[in-house]
Amino acid sequence: MRTVTPWKLLFCFLLGVHANAMAQSQMMLSNFTFKPGATQVGQVVVLPPTMSKAKVKLVGTSATTFTLGKDNTLKAKKAISEPWVDVVLAVEQGQSTIQDTFRIVKDEFITNRVIAHRGAWKNTGVTENSIGALQHAIRLGCAGSEFDVHMSSDSVLFVHHDHDVNGIHIEKTPAAELAKLKLPNGEYLPTLEAYLQAGLNQNKTKLILEIKPSAISKERGQALARKVVETVQKHNAQGWVDYISFDYAICRKVQELEPSAKVAYLNGEKAPAELAKDKLYGFDYNQSVLKKNPHWIEEAHQLGLTVNSWTVNSPEMMDWLLERKADFITTNEPELLLEKVKKVATK
């Protein structure tokens, strides 16, 4: 996967974060992965900026595994063999100490460009956006598995594509009622927490989390974005999750809450230069948009952005995007695309 947003850009972005989100000191990482055999992880950032010189300390056994440089560069003392490891950090705030745990995952994520749209469901007999579809995408060896998230009337997050499940509107229904709903393959409607737990026991397939715009209000969309990021942080899943959304304000909210997050925009009307200006990870546009604007692919790459296209099921369009070196292709036919990628790799 293409590497973008170096940590120096992260600091520039953090200076623009709203002050009302910084009432209490908070630690963040500029990166949540480490390369196999490498020791450097990233930078520890303390918010608000007035606390940037606060002393950060490694806590407990973390101090035997990691070191912190004078500029809060986090490094492992030796190459880590485990697929992921937790690091516990603390910073003093007045008379109290703020402590947090972060999970650092070994970057062994697959780079074959294949994103299973709503998981691998079409050719496997499971239901789209189910945990079974995620598990099939992982077994197939896809680079990523895409899924959609909505919020119940009482602020619980569920994975489903449409705003309603058999006529039951997710945003207008309490979680207790939604939790009783069964999918065609027999699974219950999954919560985001259950979905994350199913995806965090491996480090090969990324979780491509689409935050659905609210059907009720823009304000509720912002609340959804906040709840999603908080849930990902709660489960220490930052190293596994990339974000996408059709709502640009939601993309920007995710960046504000987790500046190191990889966020791509879906709607298709913004040129690469505008996305680069706002420091997005890339674009994830419908194939028709890229057919009309093929020059955007090269422009995006020149600007350090990634290129994804959805939902590409025809062999001809897959070939067209592979020839132009699209970074990712989202498809309901991951098996077909995997075969094409293999053929390209052997040429």
Side-chain angles (χ1 to χ4, degrees), residues 81-236:
S81 58
E82 294 85 358
W84 53 81
V85 63
D86 289 343
V87 55
V88 184
L89 299 165
V91 63
E92 292 183 0
Q93 177 178 297
Q95 300 300 312
S96 62
T97 300
I98 306 299
Q99 182 171 306
D100 207 347
T101 301
F102 302 94
R103 182 153 294 170
I104 314 300
V105 58
K106 185 183 289 186
D107 187 359
E108 295 178 323
F109 291 104
I110 297 165
T111 58
N112 59 23
R113 301 187 271 188
V114 180
I115 308 297
H117 184 232
R118 308 177 198 172
W121 56 274
K122 184 177 178 182
N123 304 310
T124 61
V126 299
T127 304
E128 63 181 40
N129 267 320
S130 66
I131 289 175
L134 166 64
Q135 292 169 335
H136 275 294
I138 292 169
R139 282 195 286 269
L140 280 173
C142 298
S145 186
E146 183 266 353
F147 60 104
D148 309 278
V149 178
H150 302 264
M151 186 166 66
S152 70
S153 62
D154 49 354
S155 301
V156 177
L157 303 176
F158 285 86
V159 175
H160 192 67
H161 181 263
D162 297 338
H163 284 280
D164 68 277
V165 185
N166 297 327
I168 298 173
H169 199 288
I170 295 173
E171 290 191 85
K172 299 177 181 178
T173 307
E177 188 173 337
L178 293 170
K180 298 175 184 177
L181 300 178
K182 277 195 174 183
L183 302 176
N185 67 333
E187 290 183 33
Y188 286 99
L189 184 70
T191 62
L192 175 58
E193 291 205 340
Y195 196 96
L196 289 176
Q197 288 167 1
L200 293 179
N201 57 12
Q202 52 83 44
N203 64 331
K204 305 297 183 184
T205 299
K206 279 289 191 86
L207 308 179
I208 314 301
L209 193 163
E210 180 177 343
I211 304 177
K212 285 290 185 180
S214 170
I216 296 174
S217 68
K218 282 283 190 180
E219 292 75 18
R220 203 165 195 280
Q222 292 286 286
L224 167 60
R226 179 176 291 277
K227 185 72 173 179
V228 165
V229 173
E230 288 175 351
T231 302
V232 171
Q233 292 172 339
K234 172 186 172 183
H235 289 273
N236 290 313

